[in-house]
Amino acid sequence: MSLQELMELEHQGWESLCNSTGADFYGRIMTDDGVMVLAHGQVFSRQDVIDSLNEAPPWRSYDIDEERLIPLGESAAVLVYRGTAYRDNPAPAFEALMTSVYVRNSHGWAPASYQQTPIPS
């Protein structure tokens, strides 16, 4: 496992959120019992993620920086980074610290948990 390998998956995820294919991407890649803990205080199961992303407006663009990898043995790792995402409307950017926990399964690396912690403006 490498920082670059897991960051590639994070970028694929963000790109899917920008081109409205997030439901398909996360439905395919997340573990069956995976969860997302979102900034608005909800915990979404894998199916909740799929359902919500089918209705979500796309992001226009995003930036990732301050990436860190915390290995948890051969088959798990935590990825932490600062993410900033922009929609088309004039609202301020969404900025958060993001944590993705990945596990290795028979298909490769899969997100088991993802959490957003908003950064106050």
Side-chain angles (χ1 to χ4, degrees):
M1 121 204 33
S2 71
L3 175 63
Q4 180 179 357
E5 185 177 16
L6 294 183
M7 283 306 303
E8 176 60 30
L9 290 173
E10 289 293 308
H11 282 291
Q12 288 176 23
W14 277 102
E15 289 297 325
S16 77
L17 297 174
C18 290
N19 65 28
S20 297
T21 60
D24 293 337
F25 178 79
Y26 287 104
R28 184 178 72 251
I29 193 171
M30 281 181 76
T31 61
D32 290 342
D33 57 352
V35 296
M36 288 191 175
V37 181
L38 302 177
H40 61 302
Q42 290 185 295
V43 178
F44 280 11
S45 69
R46 180 177 169 272
Q47 189 59 52
D48 294 333
V49 169
I50 294 166
D51 294 344
S52 71
L53 289 177
N54 278 327
E55 304 298 320
W59 294 101
R60 175 175 42 87
S61 63
Y62 70 94
D63 295 308
I64 292 176
D65 58 13
E66 300 177 26
E67 310 95 286
R68 288 187 280 168
L69 177 67
I70 301 131
L72 301 175
E74 292 296 314
S75 60
V78 177
L79 183 63
V80 178
Y81 62 91
R82 180 185 187 119
T84 306
Y86 309 89
R87 295 223 193 260
D88 282 332
N89 61 19
F94 172 66
E95 292 186 87
L97 297 175
M98 314 221 179
T99 303
S100 295
V101 178
Y102 282 91
V103 295
R104 188 188 304 267
N105 62 27
S106 61
H107 304 291
W109 289 103
S113 177
Y114 167 79
Q115 181 169 349
Q116 301 170 336
T117 304
I119 299 170
S121 49

